[in-house]
């Protein structure tokens, strides 16, 4: 018990990936279950922190380094960038890291628990409430990607609307199948 929270570290060895899951999702779920169990039958639940093989510390360092690099790129190119959707704890890491770079600021965009962060020059139109949110393509290499320019609208068949998926891409039209 330290800093008002129960802290548990698990050394899983070669099997740590199973307990951590994709981007820490399984680890977050384990931590949530432990939190719920700690508060069962009590009015005040205790905070529970679980780390597996130092994953959380490594993740924080990687996010902070990527955010700093992205902020430096924004200052150099004067083009805003945004992250892929991040949970609240990861957004805090990005906000703190970017605060170290002068002339660059951040803003969370989106709704719900998982939001993106726009990193732009201070006073940029990208950070105003009226500015349209431009989607970025996600990359398997990392969390961050350049903000893409808005695509021109594609022609739409009569009676059909072009909708975008949760990643900001328009779905491909279905190919007509062969009839036998």
């Amino acid at each position: 018990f330290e800093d008002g929270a129960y802290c548990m570290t698990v050394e899983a060895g070669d099997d740590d990936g199973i307990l951590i899951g994709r981007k820490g999702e399984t680890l977050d779920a384990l931590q949530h279950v432990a939190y719920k169990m700690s508060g069962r039958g009590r009015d005040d639940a205790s905070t529970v922190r679980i780390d597996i093989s130092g994953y959380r510390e490594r993740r924080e360092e990687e996010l902070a380094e990527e955010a700093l690099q992205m902020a430096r790129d924004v200052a150099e190119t004067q083009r805003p960038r945004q992250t892929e959707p991040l949970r609240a704890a990861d957004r805090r890491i990005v906000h703190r890291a970017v605060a170290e770079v002068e002339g660059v600021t951040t803003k969370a965009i989106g709704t719900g628990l998982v939001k993106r962060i726009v990193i732009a020059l201070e006073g940029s139109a990208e950070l105003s409430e009226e500015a349209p949110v431009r989607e970025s393509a996600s990359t398997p290499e990392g969390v961050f990607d350049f903000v893409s320019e808005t695509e021109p609208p594609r022609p739409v068949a009569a009676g059909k609307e072009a909708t975008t998926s949760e990643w900001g891409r328009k779905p491909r039209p279905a190919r007509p199948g062969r009839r036998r």
Side-chain angles (χ1 to χ4, degrees), residues 158-172:
K160 294 188 177 184
E161 291 185 28
T163 59
T164 58
S165 69
E166 66 182 286
W167 295 286
R169 298 184 196 128
K170 294 183 180 170
R172 293 182 187 171

Side-chain angles (χ1 to χ4, degrees), residues 2-144:
E2 64 182 48
D3 296 333
Y6 291 101
C7 300
M8 181 170 56
T9 303
V10 178
E11 295 299 326
D14 294 337
D15 296 330
D16 61 354
I18 295 169
L19 293 172
I20 295 170
R22 184 178 174 266
K23 296 186 181 180
E25 290 173 352
T26 306
L27 175 56
D28 289 340
L30 288 170
Q31 184 170 295
H32 181 73
V33 169
Y35 169 76
K36 289 294 187 182
M37 289 173 61
S38 74
R40 190 173 186 146
R42 297 176 28 200
D43 291 335
D44 60 330
S46 300
T47 303
V48 176
R49 288 188 214 126
I50 298 177
D51 192 10
I52 298 174
S53 300
Y55 170 78
R56 291 211 190 268
E57 187 175 325
R58 286 191 316 271
R59 173 83 171 151
E60 285 180 21
E61 290 173 7
E62 289 172 6
L63 274 174
E65 184 57 38
E66 287 184 59
L68 280 172
Q69 182 59 45
M70 193 158 101
R72 289 184 202 117
D73 288 347
V74 167
E76 184 178 311
T77 64
Q78 298 186 357
R79 290 189 61 208
R81 293 182 66 184
Q82 67 177 290
T83 66
E84 72 177 15
L86 298 171
R87 54 191 190 89
D90 292 343
R91 289 195 309 269
R92 273 191 296 279
I93 294 166
V94 172
H95 285 301
R96 286 183 189 144
V98 172
E100 296 176 15
V101 179
E102 203 168 310
V104 178
T105 189
T106 59
K107 178 183 178 183
I109 57 171
T111 58
L113 298 176
V114 181
K115 300 176 185 175
R116 296 175 186 262
I117 294 181
V118 173
I119 301 175
L121 295 174
E122 287 181 351
S124 171
E126 291 288 328
L127 299 176
S128 71
E129 294 296 324
E130 300 84 33
V133 176
R134 297 183 302 178
E135 298 294 326
S136 66
S138 66
T139 58
E141 295 87 32
V143 173
F144 304 105

